[in-house]
Amino acid sequence: MTSNDDYVLEILQEEGLLSPEQIEAGRETMDGQQGSLLDHLISEETISETDALGTVAGRLGMDMISLADQNLPPQVISLIPPEIAKRYKVVPVFKTDDNLTVAISDPLEFDALDSLRYVLKCNVEGVVATSSEVQGALKRYYAAEDSMEAMLDQIDDGTVDVSVGKGEMADAENDDSDAPIIKLVYLIILEAFRARASDVHLEPMERKFRVRYRVDGVMHEVDSPPKRLQGAILSRVKLMAGMKISDRRVPQDGRIQVNILGRELDLRVSSVPTNRGESIVMRILDKQSLALGLPKLGFFADDQQTFEKLIGLPDGILLVTGPTGSGKTTTLYACLNFINHPDRKIITVEDPVEYHLSGINQVQVREDIGLTFASCLRSILRQAPNIVMIGEIRDLETATIATEASLTGHLVFSTLHTNDAPSAVTRLLDIGIKPFLVASSLRAIIAQRLVRAICEHCKEEYEPTASEMKLLGGSGAQLGESALYHGRGCNKCSLTGYHGRKGLFEVFLIGDEAQRMIYQKVPAAQLRERARELGMRTLREDGLRKISSGMTTIEEVLRVTMGDSN
């Protein structure tokens, strides 16, 4: 069990866990057999391995843990390569800043910890676990690595031809020669799903083939396949997505449907030619995320009540604004789910259709055959819908039809790319919509951003730094005496302190006074100032409420609302 039995036996005697008679009896029963006396005593159940390890660990100032109770994230496991972990019989369990904590079954194996410090170029601290748990964890967490190594070995042996790309009619599913690449691509998608990633980025670099996952809006680089497999992996993904694998000179889009651990996922695939090869992004669309209720999006009770009234209106335009990746589509789908009843006909026009919703008529824009947003809208209005969702208002023709639809008894949902809610009015006027039409058709504009939510498993109270409060400026006074929280970092959140995301919302209600100001073409800054006087909370102010409630951190709110200091 350890590298120094005599020292351990002495400690156990001092602690009263073993007597000299038990030790002597153990030597006699070994009867000259080779091996560790301590291991023999444990096998004879004279003392348990947990008691022995716990006692020695306590004497050395080390903690004892149970790996069976741990669910170690891939990001932590990837910190130590499989060959290193197996050589030194260690399992990485925790990472903070420059300190890595590893589980080891021999608390006296100081050389192993020193070697790891040298190899990994960071401070390595040890915690103690039983040898059976360490061995089990090595098998459990590095099984995927073993399978990848086996596949790569098979490729290296020359028994597999990885030259995919014989044309879009190739049937890779039935081609045994491509089996390792198929498994490798599936493994990349599987690990992304386990890590809760929203996107998988396959990026050819000069000397390596980089794989990155976007988790809670933040990019994380993971262990990447060898550069030599770049072409085969990219060709396999394109084939799965229905793209032309022989054409590498133009951007392409495709879709993959895959079953991961019993979950049906849609992957929206995009390829762009770069100077190092094709860069491919797979966006993971999980239909279960559409089951989110409005509170799960991040609405407080008062904002939710206002929002439910808005989406229950019989007509008008409801706009959701924000940059790409701010959750606009998720919010719109949550709205449609909330009002999706048999007595209402709902039609959407999208490019692309990201999620397929039961009970809703969805139209995919295809500009290559003339099926544009405008032409779709003109046609679907003849279908007598109650509610219309337009993926995005992009041009004058689309905006005009949306406005006319709202004025003829339809409730219209759509999105715009603006930084705040009042700026959407200016955007519509710049597109060319007449001020009186904007004033008459708009019911509300909602600007939103996404912030990472504090992990509930490692949430703890803390004192904000002076620099954080300084960055908040005068708005920091709104926090008052509220207790502030952050995530310490744990296995559930991959040591980030965050798990999942919530929305920050700026709800601009278009009342009588706002309509008059829009009709008079008042500048956006003046419109924003008056909206705040009428009760509109800015994104920063909504973020402060969510900080006070322990939902997110100052760091996150500052990250997404730096331009909203008022």
Side-chain angles (χ1 to χ4, degrees):
M1 184 189 78
T2 72
S3 56
N4 193 332
D5 271 9
D6 292 338
Y7 177 63
V8 174
L9 291 171
E10 182 180 338
I11 292 176
L12 296 178
Q13 286 187 74
E14 291 176 1
E15 296 293 333
L17 295 177
L18 283 177
S19 66
E21 292 78 13
Q22 289 174 313
I23 294 174
E24 188 59 34
R27 284 198 177 97
E28 292 177 359
T29 55
M30 283 189 72
D31 194 24
Q33 298 177 21
Q34 296 295 320
S36 163
L37 173 57
L38 182 57
D39 287 341
H40 177 72
L41 292 172
I42 291 172
S43 67
E44 292 290 318
E45 299 184 355
T46 306
I47 187 172
S48 71
E49 184 180 10
T50 303
D51 288 342
L53 280 176
T55 302
V56 177
R59 180 68 66 92
L60 298 174
M62 301 172 70
D63 292 328
M64 181 85 180
I65 68 166
S66 172
L67 289 177
D69 299 332
Q70 303 288 325
N71 185 17
L72 306 178
Q75 292 90 334
V76 177
I77 294 299
S78 64
L79 295 174
I80 299 183
E83 63 274 10
I84 299 295
K86 292 168 186 174
R87 181 191 307 167
Y88 295 107
K89 296 182 175 60
V90 297
V91 178
V93 295
F94 198 78
K95 179 74 165 63
T96 56
D97 298 329
D98 293 328
N99 295 319
L100 175 63
T101 301
V102 301
I104 191 167
S105 60
D106 185 351
L108 298 175
E109 192 60 75
F110 302 118
D111 289 343
L113 297 178
D114 288 338
S115 298
L116 286 172
R117 293 184 186 103
Y118 176 78
V119 171
L120 302 176
K121 308 299 182 187
C122 69
N123 184 44
V124 178
E125 298 176 352
V127 293
V128 182
T130 64
S131 56
S132 59
E133 287 188 342
V134 170
Q135 290 296 332
L138 288 172
K139 291 180 180 178
R140 175 185 176 190
Y141 292 110
Y142 290 103
E145 303 288 348
D146 289 340
S147 62
M148 184 179 292
E149 286 177 357
M151 282 188 280
L152 298 183
D153 287 343
Q154 189 179 4
I155 294 170
D156 288 339
D157 289 343
T159 57
V160 175
D161 179 11
V162 297
S163 57
V164 182
K166 299 177 182 178
E168 48 269 33
M169 299 304 293
D171 187 3
E173 293 291 353
N174 297 322
D175 188 353
D176 292 338
S177 67
D178 291 328
I181 294 299
I182 294 171
K183 292 176 183 177
L184 191 55
V185 171
Y186 182 85
L187 186 62
I188 291 171
I189 298 172
L190 174 63
E191 289 303 312
F193 174 74
R194 285 174 171 168
R196 301 181 298 104
S198 59
D199 304 277
V200 180
H201 295 251
L202 308 177
E203 302 167 317
M205 312 300 287
E206 182 178 4
R207 290 188 174 85
K208 72 174 186 176
F209 179 50
R210 184 167 69 177
V211 178
R212 294 193 290 174
Y213 299 156
R214 188 186 299 277
V215 182
D216 292 336
V218 178
M219 298 286 278
H220 299 275
E221 186 170 353
V222 298
D223 285 343
S224 302
K227 175 74 173 177
R228 67 183 184 278
L229 300 182
Q230 171 183 308
I233 292 173
L234 294 179
S235 294
R236 174 60 195 168
V237 172
K238 290 175 68 177
L239 193 64
M240 292 170 66
M243 300 178 181
K244 296 180 179 180
I245 61 178
S246 57
D247 196 345
R248 302 181 179 89
R249 299 170 298 173
V250 297
Q252 297 186 63
D253 293 301
R255 252 191 139 89
I256 299 172
Q257 287 189 323
V258 63
N259 185 296
I260 299 287
L261 303 177
R263 295 267 287 273
E264 292 290 340
L265 302 180
D266 283 339
L267 276 66
R268 201 174 83 195
V269 185
S270 169
S271 73
V272 174
T274 71
N275 61 339
R276 301 294 180 190
E278 287 181 287
S279 173
I280 288 184
V281 176
M282 294 183 284
R283 185 173 184 188
I284 301 174
L285 306 174
D286 185 1
K287 295 179 181 179
Q288 289 193 8
S289 65
L290 297 181
L292 293 176
L294 296 180
K296 292 290 183 67
L297 295 177
F299 284 107
F300 283 124
D302 53 349
D303 284 338
Q304 181 180 338
Q305 187 177 13
T306 300
F307 201 65
E308 289 178 359
K309 288 180 181 178
L310 289 172
I311 61 181
L313 291 173
D315 55 34
I317 296 178
L318 180 63
L319 285 179
V320 181
T321 76
T324 301
S326 60
K328 301 187 298 294
T329 302
T330 301
T331 297
L332 287 181
Y333 277 131
C335 293
L336 295 182
N337 266 339
F338 186 81
I339 58 179
N340 184 16
H341 302 296
D343 61 340
R344 297 173 179 173
K345 178 158 185 171
I346 303 174
I347 301 181
T348 73
V349 182
E350 304 171 67
D351 183 21
V353 175
E354 294 193 357
Y355 297 95
H356 298 284
L357 302 175
S358 176
I360 294 178
N361 302 277
Q362 296 173 269
V363 180
Q364 167 74 56
V365 170
R366 291 189 58 189
E367 295 191 358
D368 57 325
I369 61 172
L371 194 62
T372 64
F373 271 107
S375 63
C376 287
L377 280 172
R378 281 194 294 268
S379 299
I380 67 174
L381 290 179
R382 302 188 192 105
Q383 298 277 312
N386 301 103
I387 298 162
V388 176
M389 188 192 91
I390 306 170
E392 182 184 352
I393 293 179
R394 300 181 179 179
D395 51 43
L396 175 59
E397 189 175 10
T398 303
T400 300
I401 297 173
T403 303
E404 291 173 351
S406 70
L407 295 174
T408 54
H410 303 86
L411 180 61
V412 179
F413 295 94
S414 191
T415 69
L416 273 179
H417 288 90
T418 62
N419 290 328
D420 62 6
S423 297
V425 173
T426 305
R427 173 71 177 140
L428 289 174
L429 295 176
D430 289 343
I431 287 176
I433 302 297
K434 300 296 183 183
F436 76 92
L437 290 176
V438 175
S440 302
S441 59
L442 274 181
R443 295 293 177 265
I445 305 168
I446 299 171
Q448 76 174 66
R449 299 290 188 278
L450 291 177
V451 292
R452 291 182 291 175
I454 299 173
C455 174
E456 293 296 332
H457 295 91
C458 61
K459 185 176 180 179
E460 63 181 13
E461 191 173 339
Y462 87 112
E463 287 292 332
T465 64
S467 61
E468 286 177 325
M469 297 306 295
K470 184 178 180 180
L471 286 171
L472 280 177
S475 58
Q478 298 178 38
L479 295 176
E481 300 298 323
S482 302
L484 302 184
Y485 297 88
H486 70 172
R488 183 180 62 255
C490 66
N491 294 326
K492 295 288 185 180
C493 62
S494 303
L495 308 176
T496 63
Y498 299 100
H499 192 286
R501 289 192 286 179
K502 298 289 185 182
L504 304 184
F505 302 96
E506 181 177 281
V507 183
F508 179 25
L509 301 177
I510 310 298
D512 293 340
E513 185 169 353
Q515 286 182 335
R516 285 195 296 271
M517 296 178 75
I518 293 171
Y519 182 74
Q520 295 168 3
K521 300 182 68 173
V522 169
Q526 189 176 340
L527 186 62
R528 176 181 176 80
E529 183 179 349
R530 184 56 184 152
R532 295 192 63 194
E533 292 174 357
L534 294 173
M536 183 189 80
R537 271 189 300 270
T538 66
L539 290 166
R540 170 68 63 84
E541 289 166 346
D542 192 45
L544 292 171
R545 288 211 304 166
K546 290 179 168 67
I547 293 171
S548 298
S549 68
M551 188 180 295
T552 188
T553 64
I554 293 176
E555 174 190 20
E556 276 297 288
V557 172
L558 287 173
R559 180 175 65 86
V560 302
T561 65
M562 283 303 292
D564 178 28
S565 56
N566 296 325

